[in-house]
Structure formats: C-alpha cells, structure tokens
Amino acid sequence: MTLSSKIALALGVLSLLLAVWALLLARSRRKLIRRGRDLSAEAQAANSRVQAAEGRARAEVQKRETAESRTQEANTREAELLDEVRHLASQRLPALALHLISSHHPVPGLLHKNLAGSEAGQLLDALPEAVSGIVLKERRRIDAAARAALRGATQESQALSYRLQTNIVGLQHEFSAPPRLTQTLLESDHLNEQNLRLTQRSAIVCGGWPGHVRKDTYVSEVVSGASSRLRGFERINIVSRLSVSNIGVVGRAAEPVAVVCAELMANALEHSRDDLMVDVSLIQTGNGSVCITIDDAGKGMTSEALTRGRGLISGEHQEVMLLELGDPPSMGFAAIGRLVADYGLHVSIDTSSPYGGVRAVVSVPENLLTSIDENATPPSVLAPQAAVAPQAHKRPATADSPAPAHSPAPSAAAELPQRRRRFSATPTNDDAAAAPRPLDPEDTGAIWSDFQSGLTSGRSVTDSE
C-alpha cells in the first residue's frame, strides 16, 4: 500500500472520527440544552415556590400584624370602657344625684369623646337617664307617702288647736277673771295661733285644705287677722287705701288670702331687724282687683333665692316635693304657690321695697271680691279703716252775705274723681252739740252690748282663723 493510500485512509479514518466526534458533541449539546432547560424549569419552579413561600410569609406577617392591631385596639377600647365605667360611678352618678336636688349642679358627659355616637357611648349615656327616672319615681312615691302621713297628722293637730282655741276664747269672755289670768289667756291664744299657722301651712303643702270655713269677710279684716297670727305682729303697720270700706273677700277665698298674707308678712318679719316696721297697704286697682302690698326694710333676696321663690309662688309646679324644701323644710312659698294655683290669686316678689328690702304684692281678682252690707255686718273695730279724703265744712250762707259768683264749669278733661266723706243729712246745731247729754242707763247698756258684739266679731275673724 502506498503512502498516499495510507494518507487517504488516515484522513478517512480521521474524518470518520471527526464526524463521530461531531455527532457525539451534537448529541451531548442537545442533552446539555435539554438539561439546561430542565434546570431552568426547575429553577423557575423553585423560584415560584420561593415567591409563593414569601407571599405566604408576608400574609402570615400581615395577619399577625392585623391580629396584634386588633388586640391592641381591643385593649384600648377595653381600657376606655373601664375608664368610662369608673367615670360613671365616681363622677356622673354622684353629680346626677346632686342635679336632681338642684339644677345648678351639672352632670358631666363622656370622658372619651370618641365614644360619642357608638353603641357603648349610647348605653353609657342612657344609664344616667334610666337611673334618674328610677330615682325620681321612687322619690315621688316616698314623698307621696310622707305627704299622706304629714297631712293626716296636721289635720288631727288642726282639730285639736281649734278646740283649744274655742276653750281659750270662752275663758277670755269671762270678765271676772283677774287681769294677770286674762293676760296669760291672751298670750296662750296667740301662741296657739302661731302653732295653728305652722300646722295649717304644712297641711296646705301636703295637699290638704286650709281647714277653716269663713263667711264673706272684709278685706281689711282678712289682712289684720293674718297679722295677728304672727310673732312680732306689733311691727306690722296696716294702712287701708281702699276707696270704700265695704269691699270683702268671698267666703271660699277668705282663708286662703289670709294664709298667703300671713306667710308673706312672716317672711318680711323674719328677714328684717326687730326694730324695723313692715308696711302693709290695701289698694284697689282700676281693673276691679284689690292689691295687698307688703314692704320690708330687710337686706333683700339673692338672685338665686329670688328665682327659686318666683318658681314656688307661681303655682305652676304644684307637686313640689318635701325633699326639695330644705332641711328643715321652708314651706311658706310652697304653700302660697299651692293656694295661687287653686284659687287664682296672683303673687309677685319681683320688685324692691322703697326701704331697700322686698316688696310682695298679693292681687285678689275681682271674681273673689264682694260687697258686704255694713249695717247688717259691721266691720271689726280692730281692722284698719278705709282712708277718705278730708272735706272742709262749708259755712252756711246768710241773707246778708253776697251770692257767690258762678265759676265756669270745668271741662271733662279737668274733672277728677274725689272721695267725699258721708255726713248725716240731719242738720246739727253747734250749741246743742256742745251741751252735755244726760246719761240714760238703757242707752249705756245698748252701747256696751254693741261694744261686746264688735269685740266678739273681731275675735272670731282675727283670732279664730
């Protein structure tokens, strides 16, 4: 074999080897590519699994954070609710109890304003209202029971006081008693009158009636009789400025008017010094009513006391609870308000008196007034007389005296009403009036009998109320 054949054979073998090697390389490359693809797919799958695991981890972290946030929020809400409950028990409910006694004590609201409008806040706000309703209902029940018990006790006490008064008045009519005993009886009668006034006031506040039935009574006698029930009555100066003296109060309203005047005069005496007088005036107004003004020289009333007094005497709140009248209870204005509502009177304490104190005005409407026949029922000698304008006596005209010139008639606008004293139509002789009149035993007995009748009538009106 030649060299060229050998070379050609070697090249052929080499080419074959190269082809086999190339084939092997191609197959290996395909395996490597396939392997790379598999690895890439596995890497992508692993990456997806890692991402999924990270998502799950983030979700778990978020869930954990949400749970922690909710736990913290629940703890905060629980702490706020506990604070609100403590605030309710320590501040709001005690303040509510004081507010039910006096509206000047405010009730605080929620401690945390962010609870307003929520269900818990509404429940916390509804609780004081529910407690207030329960407390007021229970207080009304207890107060009604106390009123009933006090009303029964005062009625029995009133009956005994009236019986005692009847016995004392009967003993006073025994003129054979020594002066010292008579003075003691008068003092006992006055003490009984004061006790009877306090009992009567309590009965009226508790829903009872005044406890005394009258006939039609002169206004002046009603006021003077009211003053006789008070300790310190000698400091009361009563002046009647009525145009006529026969104005009276109808029987059903006489005792209520006397009670109202007595309580206002007692208040004036209590709030002024013992050396100061209390002026009482009787005035008839243009609308037909009669006003009784009571002026004291005390220190006056504070704005709070004045507001409370107006509310009590207005008669708008008849169901004033005994617990609201203080300790001891001040029942004067409450009794006045009850009578104002029941009988249509009007009482005001809005103005100051000319002496710097308080002016109380009692207005008796026209429907509670009447006219009394003075001849059939003469007024008491102890009652203040109606003031009339003085009138000059005219000198009788003589034949020698010249006739007076006729003055022009005044116009209608210049005419003013004048009060004229009533004189007897029978002409009197100055000489005859100056002459002494012989005493007649029958006339003297009649005069003494009239004096006793007037004294008895005055006692029955002013002392037996």
Side-chain angles (χ1 to χ4, degrees), residues 51-65:
Q51 292 178 355
E54 291 178 352
R56 288 194 297 271
R58 286 194 297 268
E60 290 294 333
V61 171
Q62 186 176 2
K63 187 184 297 184
R64 190 182 304 110
E65 291 177 352

Side-chain angles (χ1 to χ4, degrees), residues 142-223:
I142 296 174
D143 194 79
R147 285 173 180 269
L150 186 57
R151 184 168 58 247
T154 52
Q155 289 177 353
E156 295 180 1
S157 179
Q158 276 183 291
L160 293 176
S161 296
Y162 283 127
R163 290 177 59 185
L164 178 60
Q165 186 182 60
T166 302
N167 294 337
I168 294 176
V169 171
L171 291 174
Q172 289 177 8
H173 290 170
E174 296 291 337
F175 291 98
S176 59
R180 182 178 299 177
L181 178 58
T182 302
Q183 181 65 25
T184 303
L185 290 174
L186 291 175
E187 293 175 357
S188 300
D189 190 13
H190 190 222
L191 290 175
N192 185 59
E193 284 286 347
Q194 297 178 49
N195 177 66
L196 186 58
R197 181 183 71 85
L198 299 178
T199 305
Q200 185 183 40
R201 179 181 64 184
S202 302
I204 293 173
V205 172
C206 294
W209 68 298
H212 186 66
V213 179
R214 290 198 191 192
K215 57 183 180 180
D216 296 348
T217 310
Y218 293 99
V219 176
S220 57
E221 292 184 0
V222 170
V223 178

Side-chain angles (χ1 to χ4, degrees), residues 19-55:
V20 172
W21 183 70
L23 182 62
L24 292 175
L25 285 177
R27 182 180 298 175
S28 176
R29 184 180 178 183
R30 286 195 297 270
K31 289 182 179 180
L32 291 174
I33 292 173
R34 191 180 301 112
R35 180 73 176 177
R37 290 177 180 175
D38 294 339
L39 292 175
S40 177
E42 290 179 0
Q44 291 179 358
N47 189 19
S48 298
R49 287 194 294 271
V50 170
Q51 292 178 355
E54 291 178 352

Side-chain angles (χ1 to χ4, degrees), residues 47-257:
N47 189 19
S48 298
R49 287 194 294 271
V50 170
Q51 292 178 355
E54 291 178 352
R56 288 194 297 271
R58 286 194 297 268
E60 290 294 333
V61 171
Q62 186 176 2
K63 187 184 297 184
R64 190 182 304 110
E65 291 177 352
T66 303
E68 291 177 355
S69 176
R70 290 179 179 178
T71 302
Q72 185 177 1
E73 183 180 356
N75 293 334
T76 303
R77 182 66 61 87
E78 182 181 1
E80 290 179 351
L81 290 178
L82 288 176
D83 291 341
E84 288 292 344
V85 171
R86 293 191 192 96
H87 180 62
L88 179 67
S90 61
Q91 299 293 331
R92 301 183 69 185
L93 292 182
L96 176 64
L98 295 176
H99 181 75
L100 295 177
I101 298 174
S102 175
S103 58
H104 296 285
H105 298 278
V107 180
L110 293 174
L111 187 62
H112 300 280
K113 302 303 181 182
N114 59 330
L115 294 178
S118 62
E119 184 178 1
Q122 293 176 357
L123 292 176
L124 289 171
D125 284 335
L127 184 59
E129 297 180 2
V131 172
S132 175
I134 295 172
V135 171
L136 287 177
K137 183 178 180 180
E138 189 65 16
R139 285 179 61 185
R140 292 190 183 97
R141 186 187 68 81
I142 296 174
D143 194 79
R147 285 173 180 269
L150 186 57
R151 184 168 58 247
T154 52
Q155 289 177 353
E156 295 180 1
S157 179
Q158 276 183 291
L160 293 176
S161 296
Y162 283 127
R163 290 177 59 185
L164 178 60
Q165 186 182 60
T166 302
N167 294 337
I168 294 176
V169 171
L171 291 174
Q172 289 177 8
H173 290 170
E174 296 291 337
F175 291 98
S176 59
R180 182 178 299 177
L181 178 58
T182 302
Q183 181 65 25
T184 303
L185 290 174
L186 291 175
E187 293 175 357
S188 300
D189 190 13
H190 190 222
L191 290 175
N192 185 59
E193 284 286 347
Q194 297 178 49
N195 177 66
L196 186 58
R197 181 183 71 85
L198 299 178
T199 305
Q200 185 183 40
R201 179 181 64 184
S202 302
I204 293 173
V205 172
C206 294
W209 68 298
H212 186 66
V213 179
R214 290 198 191 192
K215 57 183 180 180
D216 296 348
T217 310
Y218 293 99
V219 176
S220 57
E221 292 184 0
V222 170
V223 178
S224 61
S227 66
S228 67
R229 306 177 181 184
L230 308 174
R231 183 174 62 88
F233 65 94
E234 66 277 359
R235 294 167 47 205
I236 298 177
N237 180 34
I238 303 176
V239 178
S240 176
R241 294 186 174 88
L242 300 175
S243 58
V244 292
S245 59
N246 65 340
I247 301 178
V249 183
V250 295
R252 65 183 178 86
E255 184 64 17
V257 172

